[in-house]
Amino acid sequence: MKNAIGYNSEVCKFSGKWQENGNGEIVSYGAVATVEIGFTGNKIGILCADEEKTVLLDGKSTEHEYYEKGLCLKTDNGRHILKIISHPGRHIRLKGFCISENEEFFRTADRKYIHFIGDSITYNSTPGFPSVTAGITDTDYSVEAFCGMSLVDGWGWYEIPKGLSERPGMESMYFKLEHPNEAVSYTDYRFEYCRQPDVTVIFLGTNDYISNKEDKEKGNLEIFAEHYCAFVKKISEKYPESEIVIMNATSDPGYRREAITLALKRIIKSGINAHLTPTEKWDIEISEDGTHPTVCGYKQIAENLANYLSRVFNL
């Protein structure tokens, strides 16, 4: 193999959160990020660290061989598409690709792309509703989600990071690289390899303090709506070509749905053309904890969301 390219080649197509680490590598962050590349020939080398990941060749999981610089995949001679998908909690550290001297790389045709932002309901990967939604709509996808995370800084239910007095919310952590408990200090996300999503689906509020009468009396619903509007404005500035879809609550429909609906009104009033999913009509099956969907419930979310996105945005 003598024809080699680096990760910064224009034929490499990234989805999700990626950033250079200063050591000749680009690193994936978030729950799910992908890189895709086309090549001709019958084998390709992937110059990357040995981290857990999914490797698809022409849409199918394939066996690969390890060698000192990474992985080697062998196949029949022809034109092929390689996709590498990160796993939640893992990072891909990629240097580039190599193929035989007389073969060539090519950029694959763009497909519609959905970017998901959320908490544990979005993070779930057994399989999660983002991957199933993408499968139904035949789209690329990526996920940025943290279990127990609220939208609003200082709320939420995950372990408070060492050295901090409160939990950062998604309004802060979306614009950083690391998981809140992955580092002592956080690195700014520069959006340098950021592919513009066709649709950005935001599913937050489950871990915010907006679930009961006491929360409402404290003014938390208004606080949540104000912060949600500010967050969506920042997201729209980073993804100006993306449609924004706000997922309404699938459980605890009373106060939480009221807060999210109030947030949507503020978002639209600010000049952003956001859309709200009609989850109150989806009848999602919820598990015994009263919050998370069952396995069937995750499938129901995916099917209803795919139908909604196809109908509204022609995905």
Side-chain angles (χ1 to χ4, degrees):
M1 293 188 180
K2 296 183 179 180
N3 185 4
I5 60 170
Y7 63 80
N8 55 356
S9 169
E10 63 181 11
V11 301
C12 297
K13 183 167 63 180
F14 295 96
S15 298
K17 185 178 283 188
W18 293 82
Q19 191 152 299
E20 296 170 330
N21 65 1
N23 297 318
E25 300 171 320
I26 191 167
V27 182
S28 68
Y29 295 90
V32 178
T34 71
V35 58
E36 183 176 286
I37 190 170
F39 70 97
T40 64
N42 59 12
K43 59 183 176 179
I44 183 170
I46 307 170
L47 311 177
C48 66
D50 181 18
E51 286 279 356
E52 184 180 340
K53 52 192 167 290
T54 296
V55 180
L56 301 179
L57 187 60
D58 300 326
K60 298 179 180 179
S61 183
T62 184
E63 294 184 3
H64 44 263
E65 301 174 2
Y66 291 93
Y67 71 113
E68 61 178 339
K69 294 183 179 180
L71 309 178
C72 179
L73 280 70
K74 296 180 180 179
T75 184
D76 297 330
N77 202 43
R79 290 172 65 86
H80 302 284
I81 296 176
L82 172 72
K83 176 176 278 190
I84 308 174
I85 306 170
S86 69
H87 290 186
R90 302 287 185 173
H91 302 290
I92 300 171
R93 292 173 172 82
L94 177 69
K95 291 184 176 181
F97 303 92
C98 59
I99 53 179
S100 299
E101 185 174 10
N102 296 324
E103 305 298 344
E104 64 180 9
F105 294 102
F106 61 92
R107 186 176 177 89
T108 59
D110 283 341
R111 300 196 302 169
K112 296 289 187 179
Y113 165 39
I114 307 172
H115 181 51
F116 295 88
I117 303 173
D119 48 42
S120 60
I121 297 176
T122 305
Y123 184 93
N124 181 283
S125 58
T126 57
F129 80 86
S131 63
V132 178
T133 301
I136 296 172
T137 55
D138 190 28
T139 54
D140 293 331
Y141 82 103
S142 60
V143 180
E144 176 70 356
F146 302 105
C147 296
M149 180 167 283
S150 56
L151 164 71
V152 179
D153 291 336
W155 292 358
W157 302 104
Y158 66 92
E159 181 181 356
I160 297 176
K162 293 180 180 179
L164 298 182
S165 60
E166 64 177 25
R167 303 174 185 88
M170 186 62 81
E171 63 181 344
S172 294
M173 293 310 301
Y174 186 84
F175 305 96
K176 305 297 182 180
L177 294 182
E178 298 85 1
H179 182 280
N181 286 301
E182 189 178 30
V184 177
S185 61
Y186 306 125
T187 308
D188 289 339
Y189 176 34
R190 298 192 296 266
F191 291 83
E192 292 172 337
Y193 287 83
C194 174
R195 182 180 171 199
Q196 287 287 313
D198 294 280
V199 179
T200 300
V201 176
I202 308 175
F203 194 1
L204 293 168
T206 304
N207 299 302
D208 288 273
Y209 302 163
I210 52 172
S211 60
N212 54 49
K213 183 179 179 181
E214 183 180 359
D215 289 338
K216 183 172 182 177
E217 291 174 347
K218 289 180 179 178
N220 285 2
L221 274 62
E222 287 77 13
I223 292 172
F224 174 81
E226 179 183 352
H227 284 247
Y228 212 152
C229 182
F231 177 68
V232 170
K233 183 178 180 181
K234 290 180 180 178
I235 293 296
S236 295
E237 290 171 352
K238 296 298 183 181
Y239 306 133
E241 301 172 17
S242 180
E243 298 282 358
I244 302 294
V245 172
I246 306 298
M247 289 278 287
N248 213 332
T250 54
S251 62
D252 186 23
Y255 295 101
R256 197 173 293 148
R257 282 186 177 163
E258 181 181 348
I260 293 171
T261 302
L262 178 61
L264 179 74
K265 291 179 180 179
R266 293 200 180 192
I267 292 166
I268 293 175
K269 188 175 181 180
S270 73
I272 298 170
N273 185 30
H275 307 262
L276 183 67
T277 58
T279 54
E280 69 280 359
K281 300 178 181 179
W282 291 0
D283 193 24
I284 303 302
E285 184 176 283
I286 302 299
S287 66
E288 293 181 359
D289 69 8
T291 300
H292 296 86
T294 62
V295 172
C296 178
Y298 280 109
K299 182 180 178 182
Q300 290 172 329
I301 293 175
E303 292 172 343
N304 281 281
L305 180 59
N307 179 64
Y308 174 84
L309 296 176
S310 297
R311 177 169 48 84
V312 176
F313 304 114
N314 195 32
L315 290 184

